[in-house]
Amino acid sequence: MKKIVFIALALLSASTFAQDHYRNGYVNKNGTYVAPSHATNPNNTKTDNYSSQGNVNPYTGHVGTVDPYRQPSYQAPQQRCGTNRNGQYVCN
């Protein structure tokens, strides 16, 4: 009985503390090698990422610098319209 309780507690604690995962290295489509790394598991918050302010990456020691509350400054691309060589009005 003690053995079953010990195994259950070990499994529970392992899943509780497993907050990240390992990513294998790879070569992207333009031929650049991307080194293997660790990343936090996906969830609904940005405050627990290694790169967020107030956090430290335990594998590299780098301090997070990204403000998790800053809104991205996305701007929609400008649509250009005009007449092509065939006299048709087109937008791209």
Side-chain angles (χ1 to χ4, degrees), residues 3-82:
K3 195 174 194 177
I4 293 173
V5 171
F6 177 75
I7 292 172
L9 286 174
L11 290 174
L12 179 63
S13 65
S15 65
T16 302
F17 294 114
Q19 299 295 321
D20 62 12
H21 60 278
Y22 181 77
R23 294 191 295 195
N24 291 322
Y26 62 94
V27 177
N28 65 18
K29 63 183 175 183
N30 71 359
T32 303
Y33 176 70
V34 178
S37 61
H38 286 85
T40 52
N41 291 335
N43 58 18
N44 292 331
T45 181
K46 294 181 181 181
T47 58
D48 63 353
N49 294 328
Y50 294 146
S51 59
S52 295
Q53 290 175 344
N55 296 332
V56 176
N57 185 323
Y59 301 100
T60 64
H62 291 134
V63 177
T65 58
V66 176
D67 180 359
Y69 301 107
R70 182 172 169 254
Q71 296 296 321
S73 58
Y74 173 76
Q75 294 180 352
Q78 295 291 328
Q79 190 173 34
R80 293 182 292 179
C81 299

